[in-house]
Amino acid sequence: MPEGDTILRAANRIRPVLEGAVPDEILTPQARHARDRWPQRLRGRAVTRVDTHGKHLFLRFEGGLVLHSHLRMTGAWAVHPHGARWRRASRRAWLVLRARGHDVVEFDGPVLELMTAGRSRFDQRLAGLGPDVLAEPAFDAERFLRRLREDDPTRGIGDALLDQRIVAGIGNIWKAEGCWGAQIDPWRALRDVSDDEALAVVEHVRPRMRRSAEATAGAGRRPYDRHVYDRAGRPCPRCATPIAARGQGDDNRTTFWCPGCQC
Ligand SMILES: [Zn+2]
């Protein structure tokens, strides 16, 4: 699943194409959106801002209309020069916005909706999100710790970090990498994790996620080094103990950690 850095990277690529521009054309090829009349509702309106919160991306239009997207497991944003070959088949495009000689395309997007700015502020799913791990200039540590302490104290820290109501934007990769960076066992219960330790996880992943978000498309698909994620059985870069892997939480997402130096 795309994590916050992937979504911010997409926003960074979309911004120069759409921000300040009135799209030449807006298409909603997916049958599900055929009756929504978005092209008519958005016609002639400039995109005022492209921003993100965790794994959510927002295209804000003049007149207080907002296109909200969340990619879940399958979706992707892409920016192509107009006329170039798309990275996925055109029948998988749910939304196409043309401006400044480029096509901005959302493929296979399970959450795609047009809402008013007012609704986006009060929408339960959006208003309930925890602080954005990538927020600039500063991460809202106070809100993060408050949400963390409201949670079940027996829950493992690794599982809690995936909860977007506690912190928005961390997924399975950065959860594993953050716990490794802070030398915390992802299975340790929240009641045994100090505030400083929980913040150390965020402080470890923030700069790495930002570097990943700022990496250009040509820099390869993995613009950061992984220490534990997807490295089961290989030596820990810090202590050489073989990396362990096991499903965790209600969704049984595989957690990777080093039993040698994470405790
Ligand atoms: Zn280790």
Side-chain angles (χ1 to χ4, degrees):
M1 182 187 288
E3 304 188 19
D5 54 320
T6 303
I7 303 305
L8 183 58
R9 188 160 62 239
N12 288 343
R13 296 190 63 206
I14 293 168
R15 203 169 286 123
V17 176
L18 289 184
E19 222 170 64
V22 177
D24 305 321
E25 197 172 11
I26 297 176
L27 306 168
T28 52
Q30 238 285 336
R32 189 159 130 185
H33 295 298
R35 288 155 164 266
D36 292 341
R37 296 170 41 85
W38 292 348
Q40 289 89 336
R41 292 177 66 191
L42 295 171
R43 184 177 294 146
R45 295 173 193 257
V47 176
T48 54
R49 203 147 62 91
V50 178
D51 58 283
T52 61
H53 187 115
K55 303 176 185 178
H56 299 259
L57 188 143
F58 304 90
L59 304 177
R60 301 183 191 276
F61 290 79
E62 277 176 327
L65 286 176
V66 183
L67 271 169
H68 162 232
S69 103
H70 188 296
L71 302 175
R72 297 250 169 92
M73 303 296 272
T74 52
W77 281 100
V79 178
H80 304 282
H82 185 54
R85 190 184 159 85
W86 288 357
R87 62 189 272 193
R88 294 189 187 182
S90 58
R91 65 185 156 74
R92 294 169 67 182
W94 289 49
L95 175 68
V96 185
L97 302 111
R98 296 206 159 116
R100 294 177 177 142
H102 287 77
D103 298 338
V104 173
V105 190
E106 206 232 31
F107 292 104
D108 303 313
V111 178
L112 186 62
E113 55 191 349
L114 182 64
M115 49 170 66
T116 62
R119 202 193 123 203
S120 76
R121 274 194 296 277
F122 293 104
D123 184 278
Q124 288 272 311
R125 295 156 305 160
L126 298 174
L129 286 172
D132 185 355
V133 64
L134 287 167
E136 283 294 321
F139 175 69
D140 188 346
E142 202 178 309
R143 192 154 146 242
F144 165 62
L145 292 171
R146 194 168 60 239
R147 292 277 176 98
L148 196 72
R149 296 309 171 201
E150 286 166 0
D151 199 18
D152 174 1
T154 66
R155 191 179 191 184
I157 175 81
D159 189 35
L161 288 166
L162 291 182
D163 190 333
Q164 302 298 299
R165 293 167 301 181
I166 293 174
V167 54
I170 292 182
N172 215 29
I173 298 173
W174 291 112
K175 165 202 78 176
E177 293 295 317
C179 288
W180 181 85
Q183 292 186 247
I184 296 169
D185 184 331
W187 303 89
R188 203 200 299 174
L190 288 181
R191 63 171 171 236
D192 299 322
V193 177
S194 71
D195 288 356
D196 284 349
E197 285 174 319
L199 284 172
V201 174
V202 174
E203 279 157 20
H204 178 82
V205 296
R206 254 172 75 85
R208 291 177 66 195
M209 291 182 79
R210 284 217 78 86
R211 273 201 301 281
S212 163
E214 282 150 20
T216 52
R221 292 179 60 79
R222 204 182 284 183
Y224 51 86
D225 300 318
R226 289 171 181 178
H227 298 117
V228 287
Y229 182 80
D230 210 14
R231 296 187 79 245
R234 297 173 65 188
C236 166
R238 193 161 43 214
C239 74
T241 304
I243 303 298
R246 185 147 53 95
Q248 183 178 26
D250 292 341
D251 296 333
N252 205 33
R253 306 289 303 282
T254 303
T255 285
F256 299 87
W257 81 103
C258 173
C261 63
Q262 291 177 250
C263 57

